[in-house]
Amino acid sequence: MSYEVRKQIDAMADELFTEGIEADRIGRLADGTAKRMKEAGSIRMLQPKEHGGFESHPREFAETVMRTAALNPSAGWIHGIVGVHPWQLAFADPRVQQEVWGEDQDTWMASPYMPAGMCIPVDGGYKFSGRWQFSSGTDHCGWAFLGAMACNADGSVEMPPRMLHVIIPRSDYEIVEDSWDVVGLRGTGSKDVVVQDAFVPDYRVMDCDEVIDGTAARNYGRTETLYLMPWSNMFPLGITSATIGICEGLVLHADEYQSARINPQGTAVKDDPYTLFAIGEAVADLRAARDTLLANVDRMWDLVDSGKTPTFEQRAAGRQTQVQAAWRAVNAIDRIYPRCGGNALRMDKPMQRFWRDAHAGLHHAIHVPGTVFHAASLSRLGVEPEGPLRAMI
């Protein structure tokens, strides 16, 4: 069934591309696109089979995200982010799984995980408040994973700090409609969301550390390789796949545009060896970015499938590879787009939208290289990274 999703995306290619233009204009995913993605089962690729999912291999998921993003960057981005949430819900409390998927297996979940909320313990659960930015695809989601800090009864943050992932229904949070006015990824509708004193029962709260180190999946009793994959390999996968796919989309449009273009010297681009060399080198880099990301997830899958638990050093190396793949892809299109001439800047040409959206993809926190590269290098030298160097790894 996994490859059937990709086939349906291909069959919808023209519509998805056109709706990507609409999404950029209205500042959120077009309603028609959300409907098509639900029909294709895009967001159910990593969902457990007992709740109507496909339990796809992560490589198949990544390849489908890339294809979607190459057609419609906003749809690909939402596929990559919203599409990972069913993977985590698969090892949440069965009661909340039933609440989310019991009546509609195509229910989508938003995020973000940044700990912008406060969870104060009360009888049976928590009193929960906060405001979060960057809730991608939130207009089409019925639930959300929201990050929070665990607090004491007096509202002070627990020491040492402990992060939580809170699962909350749409009825308990407000979407701030005018909060997404940006230069790139406009069509993702990544708006702010606000929660004010909502009650959250204990079973809808997950410990962040247990999610990241795999304890949550093991405690749930999951034995499938898919759900034993490290969070730091799975969560970034969709985001980086979308970024690479957007870059691939720019190349598709650049190739079409350049095929009939005459350069300022009066030479057809097809006969211009300088431009052809530069584009050829850049496309090879983009292809390498794609291949290394997919090989990275295959390598981690094989490790987990053999019954081994990835070490921190292995997880850090995986994150290092994933981050570098994103930067390599965007750097590649930065050598292609300027060689398309001044008319490629026009707003009626699709290349500018793909270029803007790809650069916006690099701004996601999961693509910040500093601490990831630092931690990976220390691990190789036999030093155990501490504190912030362990974040998101």
Side-chain angles (χ1 to χ4, degrees):
M1 285 300 296
S2 298
Y3 283 107
E4 289 299 317
V5 178
R6 168 64 188 270
K7 288 181 182 178
Q8 291 192 61
I9 295 297
D10 286 339
M12 303 171 182
D14 291 343
E15 293 84 359
L16 288 173
F17 172 73
T18 301
E19 289 165 356
I21 301 171
E22 179 187 359
D24 194 67
R25 178 180 60 81
I26 65 177
R28 62 173 176 80
L29 194 69
D31 293 341
T33 303
K35 183 174 183 292
R36 294 180 203 284
M37 291 173 70
K38 288 187 176 183
E39 289 172 353
S42 300
I43 306 303
R44 286 188 282 121
M45 292 190 74
L46 302 180
Q47 197 160 308
K49 290 180 179 178
E50 67 264 29
H51 288 289
F54 305 136
E55 294 187 15
S56 304
H57 192 293
R59 181 191 183 97
E60 297 171 24
F61 171 74
E63 290 174 327
T64 308
V65 170
M66 289 175 182
R67 176 56 175 160
T68 304
L71 297 167
N72 181 324
S74 298
W77 185 262
I78 289 169
H79 187 179
I81 290 183
V82 175
V84 172
H85 297 152
W87 173 82
Q88 180 173 339
L89 192 65
F91 47 86
D93 191 289
R95 288 172 289 181
V96 71
Q97 292 183 31
Q98 184 61 29
E99 288 174 335
V100 174
W101 289 321
E103 294 184 6
D104 183 2
Q105 294 176 337
D106 275 315
T107 298
W108 290 8
M109 300 184 72
S111 42
Y113 292 95
M114 60 180 180
M118 308 292 276
C119 275
I120 299 174
V122 295
D123 288 345
Y126 297 89
K127 184 174 72 171
F128 183 45
S129 298
R131 178 168 179 152
W132 296 258
Q133 296 178 311
F134 311 119
S135 184
S136 296
T138 196
D139 288 293
H140 297 284
C141 295
W143 286 73
F145 275 109
L146 297 176
M149 300 302 299
C151 297
N152 300 305
D154 63 1
S156 61
V157 175
E158 282 186 10
M159 288 296 167
R162 185 167 62 96
M163 290 174 53
L164 305 173
H165 292 169
V166 180
I167 305 169
I168 189 167
R170 175 67 184 85
S171 56
D172 285 352
Y173 61 90
E174 173 192 353
I175 298 172
V176 182
E177 289 296 338
D178 61 351
S179 56
W180 188 242
D181 185 12
V182 290
V183 70
L185 291 173
R186 292 177 58 83
T188 64
S190 302
K191 302 172 183 176
D192 293 9
V193 296
V194 177
V195 176
Q196 185 63 46
D197 293 334
F199 171 72
V200 181
D202 287 320
Y203 68 86
R204 289 195 202 148
V205 178
M206 304 180 77
D207 184 284
C208 174
D209 287 342
E210 292 184 353
V211 170
I212 290 177
D213 69 13
T215 300
R218 291 191 296 272
N219 286 347
Y220 183 93
R222 286 288 183 192
T223 58
E224 304 92 338
T225 300
L226 174 62
Y227 301 116
L228 297 179
M229 290 283 284
W231 184 91
S232 60
N233 189 265
M234 292 297 297
F235 175 75
L237 179 63
I239 299 168
T240 306
S241 297
T243 304
I244 291 174
I246 295 167
C247 293
E248 292 176 333
L250 183 143
V251 173
L252 291 174
H253 291 287
D255 285 347
E256 181 180 2
Y257 180 66
Q258 295 277 49
S259 65
R261 179 172 168 258
I262 305 298
N263 70 19
Q265 289 75 40
T267 303
V269 171
K270 290 179 180 178
D271 299 322
D272 177 356
Y274 306 106
T275 299
L276 293 179
F277 176 87
I279 291 176
E281 183 181 48
V283 168
D285 262 351
L286 176 56
R287 188 176 296 116
R290 175 194 182 95
D291 290 348
T292 55
L293 182 71
L294 295 176
N296 188 49
V297 75
D298 283 343
R299 185 163 50 249
M300 193 66 75
W301 176 277
D302 290 345
L303 181 68
V304 174
D305 197 48
S306 70
K308 298 176 182 175
T309 299
T311 64
F312 181 87
E313 180 178 353
Q314 290 168 325
R315 301 199 316 260
R319 282 278 283 123
Q320 181 185 39
T321 300
Q322 164 257 318
V323 171
Q324 183 66 12
W327 282 85
R328 190 174 190 179
V330 176
N331 286 338
I333 64 166
D334 278 346
R335 305 200 303 278
I336 294 171
Y337 186 39
R339 288 178 167 86
C340 292
N343 281 315
L345 295 169
R346 297 187 183 279
M347 296 300 284
D348 63 350
K349 296 288 190 296
M351 283 176 283
Q352 51 77 26
R353 176 162 52 89
F354 283 78
W355 185 82
R356 287 187 287 113
D357 289 352
H359 278 270
L362 279 190
H363 285 248
H364 194 287
I366 212 73
H367 286 149
V368 175
T371 55
V372 172
F373 288 8
H374 188 174
S377 297
L378 283 178
S379 295
R380 285 200 325 277
L381 297 175
V383 179
E384 189 71 16
E386 300 292 344
L389 294 179
R390 303 185 73 84
M392 295 190 287
I393 296 176

